[in-house]
Structure formats: C-alpha cells, structure tokens
Amino acid sequence: MNRALAEVTRLAAAHEFPPGYGAEKSSSDENIERMQKQMVFMIGLSSVLIYLVLGASFQSILLPVAVLATIPAAILCGIFGLWVLSRDLDVMARLSLVILVGIGVNNAIILIDLIQELRAKGFSRAEAVIRSCSMRFRAVMMTTAIQVLGVLPVAIGNSKIMGIPYASLGITIISGMLLSTLVTLAVIPWL
C-alpha cells in the first residue's frame, strides 16, 4: 500500500491539472502516516516497559538487554516473512509487530531465569548456561510450536475485518517467532 501511495503521489505531483482542479492528500493518507509513527512509538514503549519489568525481576541492568536482543530479530524476520510472500506492511502486520515484542521475549526469559537459578545454586557461568540450554530446549521449542501453530489458521485463512485481511498478522507472527527462537537458543547463552 505504501508503494502505491508513493506512486500516486508522485504521478499527481508531476501532472498538470486544469485551472480549478488539483490533488491533495486525503485524511486516510494522513492516518497512514500517523499510524506509522505510532507503531514506532508503541514498539519503543513496549521495549522500555519490558526492560523495566525484567530489570526489576532479574535485579540486573544487563540481563534485560540480553532478553531484548530477541526483539529486533523477531521484527526483522516478521517483516522478511511479509516480503517473501509479497504482502504489505498493513495495519494487521503492524499490530503483529507490537505483539511480537511481547511474545518474542518469552523464550529468552525462561532460559535466562534458569541460568540465574543455577548460578545462585553455585554452578559456574558456563555450566549454568549449558545445563539451562539442555533443560529448557524442549520448553522453548514447545512454546514456539504452540505460538506458531496457534496463528497458522490466521496466516493461511482469508478472513477479513473491515476489509483488512488477517493473514499478514499470522505471517508476521510466525516468521518473527521462528527467528526469535533461533536467537534465543544461539545468541542468548552467548550473551
């Protein structure tokens, strides 16, 4: 939709209209621009709130940063999934990016929580990371599988609300969760 809007705007600006006629942005164009700015704000605010809650829970400044490392990966992969399937970043896809901020961190939280628990019991850092990864692998994979399978009908269906298809919501969440799981299993232990 953004490409079409940009092309129409470009063509209208290049066209010479007869006297008394012209082109101007409609309120829906302004709404789209406003929604894009709000989406960036919502993702940023969500990330800050998650950081604050995790900082208080883990009683650490750095551990929440490790959890938040999964967010950019989830968002980028969500957008990549839309691109691969030639879908636009519509309202539902934008909503799913905000949702990904919340659900993308779940796996990292359960992994880091166990690492912290093992460290408190006296395990070395390396041993706590190795044990927690092997102990939580199944839980991380089950969580991801449930989330992906839960939105799969949305991704492959053709349901609409107010003319907006839900499929982009499902596609974005599925592709975002798959990469954030890989980041959780590969990068979080390293961090």
Side-chain angles (χ1 to χ4, degrees):
M1 182 156 174
N2 290 337
R3 289 177 282 185
L5 180 60
E7 183 65 18
V8 168
T9 303
R10 184 188 68 76
L11 290 172
H15 184 72
E16 280 191 44
F17 290 96
Y21 293 93
E24 60 183 47
K25 281 188 172 182
S26 71
S27 61
S28 64
D29 296 338
E30 293 168 1
N31 285 340
I32 290 171
E33 291 173 3
R34 191 180 81 247
M35 282 190 316
Q36 288 174 339
K37 291 175 185 173
Q38 287 176 345
M39 182 190 71
V40 171
F41 174 75
M42 287 187 295
I43 289 174
L45 181 62
S46 300
S47 299
V48 168
L49 291 174
I50 289 170
Y51 177 82
L52 292 174
V53 169
L54 291 176
S57 291
F58 290 142
Q59 297 177 356
S60 169
I61 296 172
L62 295 177
L63 287 177
V65 173
V67 173
L68 292 176
T70 60
I71 293 173
I75 290 173
L76 290 175
C77 194
I79 293 170
F80 179 73
L82 291 171
W83 178 76
V84 166
L85 296 173
S86 299
R87 300 285 184 136
D88 285 329
L89 189 61
D90 61 11
V91 175
M92 288 299 180
R94 291 178 187 155
L95 174 64
S96 65
L97 292 177
V98 176
I99 293 169
L100 274 173
V101 171
I103 65 175
V105 299
N106 290 340
N107 292 332
I109 291 170
I110 63 172
L111 190 61
I112 288 178
D113 183 52
L114 184 59
I115 291 171
Q116 288 299 98
E117 189 179 310
L118 293 175
R119 294 272 295 148
K121 290 181 179 177
F123 287 94
S124 70
R125 179 176 291 151
E127 192 174 356
V129 168
I130 291 169
R131 282 180 179 249
S132 65
C133 286
S134 65
M135 292 171 68
R136 294 288 191 207
F137 178 78
R138 192 171 108 195
V140 167
M141 295 308 289
M142 285 174 51
T143 302
T144 300
I146 288 169
Q147 291 168 342
V148 166
L149 292 174
V151 296
L152 187 62
V154 174
I156 60 176
N158 60 0
S159 297
K160 294 179 182 182
I161 184 167
M162 297 187 313
I164 303 170
Y166 279 101
S168 59
L169 182 134
I171 291 166
T172 308
I173 289 177
I174 289 171
S175 55
M177 280 307 302
L178 292 176
L179 182 65
S180 70
T181 299
L182 294 176
V183 168
T184 298
L185 295 173
V187 177
I188 298 298
W190 178 77
L191 290 174

